[in-house]
Amino acid sequence: MMRLDHVSYAVGPDGMDATVRRIVDALGVERVKGGIHPRFGTRNAIIPLAKRQYLEIVEVLDHPSADKAPFGQAVRNRSQVGGGWMGWCVSVDDLSRFEERLGRKSVPGNRKFPDGNELTWQQIGIKGLIADPQVPYLLRWDEGTEDIHPSQAYSPQAELTQLAIAGSPERVTDWLNCPDADPFEDVDVDWIAPSGTPGIMSVTFRSPNGEITI
C-alpha cells in the first residue's frame, strides 16, 4: 500500500496564526490546532481533507530538537525563505525496504492530544526531501492510531484535487523504487520543468469557497 497522506506548508514570517488564518479563510474551512512534535521541535495545525488526507501547516520552535532533527531543519529552511509548500508525504505499510535502500533506520514521531491520546508513527526520507524537495518523505502510522489520524479530526470540508510539482515523475518513481505503485492514484499532478529549486509549486483544493489554488 502506498498513498498520498498529506502535504506540509511551512509558516511564513508572520507566524503560525496569520498563516493558518490566511489558508482557512481562502478555503472556507475550519482548522484543528494540532500540537507539538517534541522529537522534531515543531508544532502544527491541521486541515482534514477527503480521502483520508490532510493539510499540515507547520512551524519550527526555538528548541534544541529542531536543530538536531531533519524535520525541524526542513521546516526552518522553508520558513527562512518566506514559508510555503515544504513537501508531501506518502504513507506505506512497510518502511523496511526504504530503510534498507537509504541505509538508515526510520525515526519515531509523536504528538499528544489534550485528552491524553497519543498519535505515533515512524518516518524516513526527510534528508532526501531537503536535498531534492520534489521527492516525498515516507511514513508508517503505528497500529491503533486509525481513529486519530489527522484526517479524522472532523468531517472533511475540502478535498485535494491537484498538485503542481516542479520536477520529474521519473525521479520520483526512482526515489520510491515502486514502479507499480501510484501514490497519486486519486490526485492529478501537473509536472513542471524546474527553472530553479524543484518541489511543490501549488496545491489545488475543492472547498466550500470553490476551487482554490494555494
Side-chain angles (χ1 to χ4, degrees):
M1 190 278 290
M2 176 180 292
R3 54 180 295 276
L4 175 63
D5 189 79
H6 66 273
V7 287
S8 297
Y9 189 100
V11 305
D14 48 357
M16 174 68 85
D17 289 342
T19 302
V20 170
R21 190 179 311 113
R22 184 170 64 253
I23 292 175
V24 299
D25 287 351
L27 297 177
V29 299
E30 301 173 33
R31 57 81 66 94
V32 178
K33 188 175 181 181
I36 292 174
H37 308 129
R39 295 178 184 272
F40 304 150
T42 57
R43 65 170 179 151
N44 68 2
I46 297 295
I47 297 175
L49 302 171
K51 303 172 185 173
R52 205 171 176 83
Q53 297 168 347
Y54 67 97
L55 161 58
E56 170 189 52
I57 303 165
V58 63
E59 178 180 47
V60 71
L61 302 174
D62 183 14
H63 190 278
S65 296
D67 297 326
K68 299 176 182 178
F71 188 81
Q73 295 168 14
V75 177
R76 175 177 284 117
N77 292 347
R78 191 68 180 96
S79 292
Q80 286 179 341
V81 296
W85 293 112
M86 185 187 83
W88 54 289
C89 178
V90 168
S91 63
V92 298
D93 288 332
D94 183 7
L95 287 174
S96 61
R97 54 181 169 159
F98 299 102
E99 293 175 324
E100 182 178 353
R101 187 164 59 86
L102 296 176
R104 55 181 177 272
K105 289 290 188 180
S106 57
V107 298
N110 70 300
R111 175 165 64 84
K112 288 190 176 181
F113 292 82
D115 63 4
N117 282 325
E118 186 174 25
L119 183 63
T120 59
W121 64 91
Q122 304 287 322
Q123 69 182 49
I124 194 171
I126 291 293
K127 291 181 179 179
L129 180 148
I130 291 174
D132 186 2
Q134 69 181 295
V135 302
Y137 65 102
L138 300 116
L139 172 151
R140 178 182 61 76
W141 298 103
D142 288 342
E143 292 185 10
T145 62
E146 294 82 5
D147 293 340
I148 54 174
H149 184 272
S151 66
Q152 305 302 298
Y154 63 67
S155 181
Q157 302 165 331
E159 177 182 353
L160 195 163
T161 60
Q162 186 181 55
L163 291 170
I165 301 178
S168 160
E170 293 78 18
R171 166 62 178 136
V172 171
T173 299
D174 179 68
W175 168 255
L176 293 173
N177 196 29
C178 300
D180 296 329
D182 181 9
F184 300 120
E185 186 173 359
D186 50 10
V187 177
D188 290 331
V189 182
D190 182 16
W191 293 98
I192 303 167
S195 57
T197 302
I200 295 179
M201 304 302 293
S202 67
V203 181
T204 299
F205 302 89
R206 186 178 296 119
S207 78
N209 287 347
E211 187 172 272
I212 301 295
T213 298
I214 296 175

